Structure formats: C-alpha cells, structure tokens
Amino acid sequence: MTEFGFIEQLAARFVALPANGFEGIGDDCAVLPVGNGEALLFTTDLLTEGVHFLRAATSARELGGKSLAVNLSDVAAMGGRPVATLLSLSLPADTTDAWATEFMEGYREMSERFGVTLAGGDTTRSTAGIVINVTAIGRADATHIKRRSDARAGDTIFVTGELGASGAGLNDILAGRYDTPAAAIHRNPQPHVAEGLWLGARPEVHAMMDLSDGLASDVRHILERSRCGAIIDVERIPAAEGADVQLAACGGEDYKLLFTADAATSEKLANDFLEKFGAPLYPVGTITADTELVWRQNRRPVERDWKGFVHY
Amino acid sequence: MTEFGFIEQLAARFVALPANGFEGIGDDCAVLPVGNGEALLFTTDLLTEGVHFLRAATSARELGGKSLAVNLSDVAAMGGRPVATLLSLSLPADTTDAWATEFMEGYREMSERFGVTLAGGDTTRSTAGIVINVTAIGRADATHIKRRSDARAGDTIFVTGELGASGAGLNDILAGRYDTPAAAIHRNPQPHVAEGLWLGARPEVHAMMDLSDGLASDVRHILERSRCGAIIDVERIPAAEGADVQLAACGGEDYKLLFTADAATSEKLANDFLEKFGAPLYPVGTITADTELVWRQNRRPVERDWKGFVHY
C-alpha cells in the first residue's frame, strides 16, 4: 500500500465528516484559517528505523535534526512560517540515555535555527525499533498560502536548488559508505524555510510543494491536483555533484522546493531570488494545458521511465 | 526513562527557544491563543504494539477508536472541543489491507461520533510492530481553558466517573482473558468530551486533567503544578464493578476527568452535572495548602503505597 494510495483512501473514507474549517488532504499541510487574514498550517511525518533511516548510518544528533527538517520543509512548501512542533519518540531498550540526549540536541539545534518552539510531545518505550513522529505547526498570511492545485498552463516550473545529492548519499549509505559528502547531505537536509516564505509572498508564484520523493514523482502531484500537464527539459534539471540526471529526477529527500510561476514575470522572480538568497532558481520546464508529463531533450520528446523515490 | 521525567528534561532543554505564543509543556495540551478570545489546543500520543496494546487482544476497529479517543480525552481535559486530527500509521508487512481498513473504520466512527475531521496524515511501512501516532487539535474559548496549575486550597476534588474498570480489563487481558466485560472497557475508552466542554465553561472549576495513568499518579501532577497538597478519602473513590479501591486508584486508562472546584459551589455544580449528563460527579477529597498527598480512611490518615499505572 503506497503512502499516496492510502492517503487517497483515507480522504474518500472521511469525506463525509464535518470539515470544521480545515481544508482537505492533498497538500503538504492542512490549512485552518483563524481570522484576521491568517491561517495555521499542520503537517505530520512518521520516521521508522529500517524504513526511513538505519541507526548505524546516522548519528543521533543528525537524526534529531532531520526529523524536524522534513516537517519544516512541508510548512515552507505552503509559504508558511513554522512556529512549533510536537515530538513523539518511541525508544527501544537498547537506546542509551546518551543517544536520546544527542537526538534531542540535534532537534533543539534545528529548532533554534528556524525559531521553532517545542510545544508538546510523548515518549514511550518501543519493543522494536526507534520511531519518531513530528507534527509541525506553521502560520501564514492566508493570501500567501501556496497549494499544489494552482498551476496554470504556461507557467514556468522551477526548483530552488540542485537535485540528486541526497539520492546519491542514500546510494552510498546502502553500499556501506557512510562517510561520503553525499551521505552527509542525505543525513542533514536543509529545508528551504526562508525561501518558501519569500516565494509565498510573491503572487506570481502559483503552485508549490517540497521535493521529498523526487521531481519525477512530486511533479505529478501538482499535475493531478491542478489538472494540467508539463514539459520538462531533461538537460535543465540541475544535477548536484555526484548525481546524474536520472538520480536528480528520481532521487528522494532533496527537500528543495518545486513551484510554478507566471512565465511573463519569471525572469524577474529569478533575479530577485538570486539577489535575496545568493542562489539561482532553476527553470526546468513549462506547465501545459493537457494532462501529460512529457520529458524533452534538445526540444524533442524522449521516453523516460522515471519514477520517484521509494524508501528502503 | 519515564515519560514524565523525559518531558521535564525536554522542557528544560528547550526553554531558551522563542515561545511563538504557545504555552509551555505541562498540561494535557499545548495552548495557542489565536485572537478574538479563542485558543487552539494541541496534543499528541504515540501508541506502539507490545507497549500500549497487544495485537492479539484487540480488534483493529477497537484500536482505531481507542487511538483517537485517548487524544480527544486530552482536549476535553482542557475544556476544549476537538476539531481535527492528524494520523500517522506505520504498518508491518504482516498486517493485511483488511486490518488497515478495519482500523480506519474504527477511527472514522470515533471521529464521526465527536464531529472531528481528519486533516492529514502519514503512512509508512514498519520493520517491526504497528505504530500509531495521533495529533489532536481543539478549539476553546480562551477563558474556558482549564490547566493543571489552577487548583486552590479548599477546592473539592472530583472525578467524572467510576474508576478501575480499564485496569481490571488490562489484568484480564494480561491473563489471557480477552472476552470479559472489563477487557472490552479497556479496549473501548469513552472520552468525556461533552463533560470536559461543559466543565470548561464553569468558572468554579479550577484545575482539570484526564485520568490516563491512574488517580494516584495523575493527582500528583495537579499538586506539583498548583504547588498544593490534597487529602483523598479512600472510601469515596468510586470503584467500578470488578475493581477494588486500589485498582480504582492505581489503574490506568480510565479516561475520566479529574478536576478541582470551589467547595462553596461544588454541590450545585454536581447537581447541575447530574441534571445535564444523568450521571453523578464523585467528590473524592480536598485540596490543601501544604504539598503532601494524604490518603484518609474514616477521616484518619492511612499509609498507601499507591502509584500510577505503568504500561506493559
């Protein structure tokens, strides 16, 4: 049962319940308008040992930071500012107090860096592996919130950074090479929080989400939700050092942002972004009016059987 | 490492972070005022197989309902109305689609009963047991919110129902008797949501929390947070059928409410509660100005080495 399949099943099953002001499932966060033009954002992620991480391949401190980072990225992906988290932690008997303390230190450092408070939590024993659940809460100007459903035909498709380094790192880790630069990038994702907030405030930005499962998989969510298609120019996908274009398109956990923006003003947007963040935006393609995802190389369609990332 | 010890360690470690408007850890929920006299409440609970439940001893549907119920109880304990939840579910390969569907049906039924929407979630594979994390979101009139820290000397201490049935059921389950009435009560907690909301609106109610770890353990949290003591009359503890007074005081997971109220008006409060809910409030003791917890029988202090419930 895939995550997205299950979530769709959930949504169908629960659709008859009162919404209580919440917007339905389908974006990186749930949205609750709270008055005065403001909304709250909510997202949750469960990380389990052996599926999302290997205990031997990560330090406790790195894992603490990453557990938080992946949730902050979801808030950033909607144009919000993360403000608080709730942390649930289930630890087996063979984790030491030192491990738990280091984990919390990594979590605290990442919290401090992004100005996020720890508002609550739960800790339990585990009879099996380590389990971590983080719920992140964000705030946003209601008019700044970006969704997956707002791409428009003609929009330029952008990503906010090079892709594939995390995927290359995962490959290293799976091959037993834990100490490569790419493996370190995989263990220490840097969520684009300031970037998401800044893009949220730009009305020419239409649809947005974060890249957690890989461009080839994630872009399809925007296409489905926006009922549109896309042409992606393979040679424009910015592959990070150590990643080829396939890994850049299919590798997971880069935690850059993927968004679409009005083509007429997208050059100015990219210039402003460069000036603000000292880093470029990467245009990789165009939203189309049909519902196909077309890969193109040298302006000609090419067959690519590219899928997103599946956890180990 | 006990849950409460770890949470205190967390709080100390994170105290330097900006609060972002959230009230700190220590109550059943975190509180975020959102303007117009309203506040949001947040709570999270992680349930792990073999620690919080035995797969063989519960149906998937019951587990789905219970996973939600224990969180709704936390919102009720603050005087709030639960409005939404986020559900994370980690399932090992040996859980069938039928199991997952039944679990969701139990979750949906409990959601429907209390008018709560499912706002988001995450599902993953598990390499070990079933893990469930629920985050519940509530709304409350900011002036109705009850905390653990507001008990006052002279207050009457109440519980909202008979105690010990869930503990008796757990004993049955641990002895392999899954089909007793008490075991069914243990698997199907009924959170006092309407009761909590009603008590929240009564200004004569001071401190409140829910009974998840047993009266003997939970009342100490009110005493610590309110910097006061208590006398509890052992013979007034309302033991449910099949539970003796020790189990009523020490058994966990009853999910009734524990609160303190102005003694001068507590008889009227109890009468109004009886009229509203057709069930009595049970006065079990009195808040004192010192910091001791005194058990009393026939108006004389008695030694009781009673502690709360620890998960298996």
Side-chain angles (χ1 to χ4, degrees), chain B residues 53-94:
Chain B
F53 62 92
L54 304 174
R55 207 189 308 186
T58 182
S59 74
R61 185 181 290 234
E62 288 171 321
L63 188 60
K66 181 168 180 173
S67 303
L68 179 54
V70 302
N71 283 279
L72 301 184
S73 182
D74 282 327
V75 174
M78 303 280 292
R81 179 191 301 280
V83 292
T85 65
L86 307 169
L87 169 64
S88 298
L89 194 53
S90 181
L91 298 178
D94 64 348

Side-chain angles (χ1 to χ4, degrees), chain B residues 34-214:
Chain B
V34 290
N36 301 321
E38 205 190 18
L40 294 183
L41 304 171
F42 305 98
T43 182
T44 199
D45 264 298
L46 184 66
L47 303 180
T48 62
E49 183 174 350
V51 177
H52 300 91
F53 62 92
L54 304 174
R55 207 189 308 186
T58 182
S59 74
R61 185 181 290 234
E62 288 171 321
L63 188 60
K66 181 168 180 173
S67 303
L68 179 54
V70 302
N71 283 279
L72 301 184
S73 182
D74 282 327
V75 174
M78 303 280 292
R81 179 191 301 280
V83 292
T85 65
L86 307 169
L87 169 64
S88 298
L89 194 53
S90 181
L91 298 178
D94 64 348
T95 46
T96 60
D97 278 8
W99 192 98
T101 301
E102 278 295 303
F103 176 92
M104 291 311 304
E105 187 53 23
Y107 197 92
R108 193 199 59 75
E109 284 168 355
M110 187 67 75
S111 297
E112 187 174 47
R113 193 170 136 207
F114 291 103
V116 176
T117 197
L118 180 66
D122 190 21
T123 61
T124 72
R125 285 191 302 114
S126 167
T127 57
I130 296 167
V131 180
I132 305 148
N133 193 88
V134 176
T135 298
I137 303 166
R139 303 185 84 137
D141 182 320
T143 64
H144 291 186
I145 292 175
K146 306 300 182 189
R147 297 173 175 80
R148 297 178 180 180
S149 52
D150 291 332
R152 303 175 199 172
D155 277 1
T156 303
I157 303 169
F158 285 102
V159 298
T160 62
E162 294 181 341
L163 307 178
S166 181
L170 176 59
N171 288 344
D172 286 346
I173 288 168
L174 293 177
R177 297 187 300 271
Y178 299 162
D179 58 354
T180 67
I185 288 171
H186 178 77
R187 289 191 300 263
N188 294 279
Q190 306 298 317
H192 278 188
V193 173
E195 293 85 343
L197 204 54
W198 187 88
L199 290 165
R202 301 289 294 227
E204 65 268 49
V205 174
H206 296 156
M208 187 155 69
M209 66 180 296
D210 76 335
L211 285 162
S212 57
D213 293 333

Side-chain angles (χ1 to χ4, degrees), chain B residues 151-305:
Chain B
R152 303 175 199 172
D155 277 1
T156 303
I157 303 169
F158 285 102
V159 298
T160 62
E162 294 181 341
L163 307 178
S166 181
L170 176 59
N171 288 344
D172 286 346
I173 288 168
L174 293 177
R177 297 187 300 271
Y178 299 162
D179 58 354
T180 67
I185 288 171
H186 178 77
R187 289 191 300 263
N188 294 279
Q190 306 298 317
H192 278 188
V193 173
E195 293 85 343
L197 204 54
W198 187 88
L199 290 165
R202 301 289 294 227
E204 65 268 49
V205 174
H206 296 156
M208 187 155 69
M209 66 180 296
D210 76 335
L211 285 162
S212 57
D213 293 333
L215 176 64
S217 170
D218 289 328
V219 72
R220 290 179 210 271
H221 298 303
I222 287 182
L223 304 190
E224 281 163 23
R225 301 275 302 168
S226 298
R227 296 201 177 83
C228 60
I231 296 168
I232 296 184
D233 293 304
V234 169
E235 67 271 26
R236 301 174 84 183
I237 297 172
E241 196 181 325
D244 61 17
V245 67
Q246 180 172 353
L247 198 55
C250 303
E253 304 206 78
D254 279 314
Y255 298 106
K256 313 303 184 201
L257 301 174
L258 168 67
F259 68 93
T260 80
D262 185 14
T265 55
S266 65
E267 194 171 317
K268 171 158 171 46
L269 180 74
N271 286 338
D272 290 351
F273 187 94
L274 181 62
E275 190 171 326
K276 170 76 179 170
F277 295 106
L281 289 178
Y282 298 91
V284 297
T286 305
I287 295 292
T288 60
D290 61 31
T291 58
E292 298 299 303
L293 172 59
V294 176
W295 302 99
R296 205 166 63 165
Q297 194 149 28
N298 303 322
R299 309 196 67 77
R300 290 178 185 215
V302 287
E303 283 294 319
R304 289 289 181 273
D305 183 25

